[in-house]
Every structure is written in structure tokens, then in C-alpha cells.
């Protein structure tokens, strides 16, 4: 019968390769605290350090047949914990990039959505104010701005002078500018 706490690391490693659970328990008891302190200092997170050390020992047990029975057990464990810590950092870096990328997408989507909503509101307000113009002025304005007809073409179509058409368009723009100026200002606050 072995007194496991008096065995060397290499003797414990050898017994581990022979499926000796008590040897594994001794390795765990001997190295857990040191590995935890090492991981905790590097990760600055005790819970994450516990997880990393527990995962290391789970892997050690599941791959016990691959442990070099005469190798340096402490060097093996410190190398393994270092690699796991590096994996955590790499995973965090990828995770942070993903979160940042997702946040940028959401921010851009929010800005685009906000812009589209404001654009629709503005189009509605403009349409509302155009419809509020006096009937003849509205007709002249729409022929000028929506159908892109010249003042001369509108004058001929409606049987009015070009000066009347020019004055009506000018007045319509002045009215719309006055009415929409406040709305435009409020919409883009």
C-alpha cells in the first residue's frame, strides 16, 4: 500500500497511467492550489480560474494514458494551464470582436432606421403642407415641382400669364418654407 503524499511527481505520473485514482487525487491535491493561484493571477477572475483548473484536471484524467510516466509532471501541468489561459484570452478576444461588431451593426441599423422614419415623417409633413395650399396655388406648384414643367408650359396649360405662374410658385415656396421650417427643425433635433 502506497502513502501517496510521499510519492514523487514522476511516481504519481506513472501510477496515473495505470488508472490509479488515488494517484490522480494526490496530483489534484498537490497541484490544484498552485495552478489556481497561477490562473487567478493571469485571468483576474477566480471563477474563470477555477473553471480552467477543473477543466485541466478533467482532461488529465481522460488522457491519463498519454501522460509521460517518467516526465516532469509539474512542467506538464504548468504548460497545460498556460495554454488553457491563452485559450481563454483568445476566446475573449474573439468574443469581444463579435460583440463589438454586433453593437456596431445594431448602432448603424438604429441610425438607418431612425433616418428612414424621419424621412417618412418629413415626406408626410411636406405632402400635408402642399395639400393645405390654396387650390390654384397647389395645382401650379405641383405642375412646376412634380411634373417639372416650365412656367411657360404651365401658363399655356392653365391659360394664365407667366408672371402669375412665377408669383404663385414663389408664394407657394415661401409658405412651405415658413410652415415646414419649424417642422424640419423639430424633426432633426
Amino acid at each position: 500500500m502506497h502513502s501517496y503524499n510521499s510519492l514523487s511527481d514522476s511516481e504519481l505520473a506513472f501510477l496515473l497511467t495505470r488508472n490509479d485514482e488515488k494517484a490522480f487525487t494526490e496530483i489534484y491535491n498537490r497541484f490544484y492550489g498552485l495552478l489556481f493561484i497561477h490562473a487567478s493571477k493571469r485571468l483576474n477572475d477566480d471563477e474563470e480560474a477555477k473553471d480552467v483548473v477543473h477543466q485541466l484536471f478533467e482532461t488529465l484524467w481522460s488522457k491519463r494514458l498519454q501522460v509521460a510516466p517518467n516526465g516532469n509532471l509539474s512542467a506538464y501541468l504548468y504548460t497545460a494551464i498556460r495554454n488553457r489561459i491563452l485559450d481563454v484570452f483568445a476566446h475573449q478576444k474573439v468574443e469581444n470582436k463579435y460583440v463589438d461588431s454586433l453593437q456596431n451593426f445594431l448602432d448603424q441599423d438604429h441610425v438607418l432606421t431612425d433616418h428612414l422614419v424621419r424621412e417618412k415623417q418629413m415626406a408626410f409633413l411636406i405632402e400635408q403642407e402642399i395639400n393645405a395650399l390654396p387650390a390654384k396655388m397647389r395645382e401650379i406648384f405641383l405642375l412646376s415641382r412634380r411634373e417639372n414643367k416650365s412656367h411657360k408650359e404651365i401658363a399655356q396649360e392653365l391659360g394664365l400669364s407667366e408672371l402669375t405662374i412665377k408669383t404663385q410658385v414663389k408664394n407657394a415656396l415661401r409658405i412651405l418654407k415658413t410652415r415646414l421650417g419649424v417642422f424640419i427643425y423639430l424633426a432633426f433635433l
Side-chain angles (χ1 to χ4, degrees):
M1 178 97 179
H2 298 283
S3 173
Y4 287 90
N5 61 359
S6 65
L7 295 176
S8 70
D9 292 349
S10 58
E11 290 172 315
L12 288 171
F14 174 76
L15 292 172
L16 180 65
T17 62
R18 301 292 181 247
N19 297 320
D20 190 322
E21 291 179 25
K22 289 180 182 177
F24 175 78
T25 303
E26 179 58 30
I27 293 169
Y28 181 91
N29 291 336
R30 191 175 290 185
F31 288 100
Y32 178 86
L34 296 170
L35 294 171
F36 171 76
I37 291 168
H38 181 72
S40 182
K41 283 182 182 177
R42 297 285 185 264
L43 296 170
N44 291 320
D45 182 339
D46 287 351
E47 291 304 312
E48 186 80 43
K50 285 179 189 174
D51 289 346
V52 167
V53 175
H54 282 289
Q55 289 168 5
L56 169 66
F57 280 107
E58 287 173 16
T59 303
L60 179 64
W61 179 252
S62 66
K63 295 184 176 184
R64 63 191 173 277
L65 301 178
Q66 298 167 11
V67 173
N70 55 0
N72 186 338
L73 184 60
S74 63
Y76 171 82
L77 292 172
Y78 276 103
T79 301
I81 200 71
R82 186 193 75 221
N83 291 339
R84 288 184 177 276
I85 290 167
L86 292 174
D87 288 346
V88 168
F89 287 143
H91 179 74
Q92 286 173 344
K93 191 173 181 181
V94 168
E95 198 174 80
N96 289 342
K97 277 186 180 180
Y98 174 75
V99 168
D100 289 346
S101 171
L102 183 60
Q103 189 60 51
N104 286 340
F105 173 76
L106 292 173
D107 289 346
Q108 288 172 356
D109 188 49
H110 174 71
V111 168
L112 180 62
T113 301
D114 186 52
H115 176 73
L116 292 174
V117 167
R118 288 177 189 242
E119 192 176 286
K120 285 182 181 180
Q121 288 173 336
M122 186 54 61
F124 177 76
L125 288 173
I126 290 170
E127 193 62 37
Q128 203 174 16
E129 290 304 321
I130 290 172
N131 288 335
L133 292 171
K136 198 59 157 177
M137 184 184 287
R138 180 176 61 246
E139 181 184 13
I140 292 169
F141 181 79
L142 291 174
L143 288 171
S144 170
R145 292 303 190 251
R146 293 234 174 107
E147 296 183 25
N148 295 318
K149 292 187 176 183
S150 69
H151 292 168
K152 185 176 184 177
E153 291 171 324
I154 298 169
Q156 289 173 349
E157 186 176 319
L158 299 178
L160 299 170
S161 73
E162 274 187 68
L163 182 60
T164 302
I165 300 302
K166 184 177 179 181
T167 303
Q168 288 291 320
V169 169
K170 186 176 167 183
N171 288 341
L173 287 171
R174 184 180 43 75
I175 290 168
L176 291 173
K177 183 178 176 186
T178 303
R179 289 183 184 166
L180 290 173
V182 173
F183 293 121
I184 291 171
Y185 176 75
L186 291 175
F188 290 98
L189 274 178

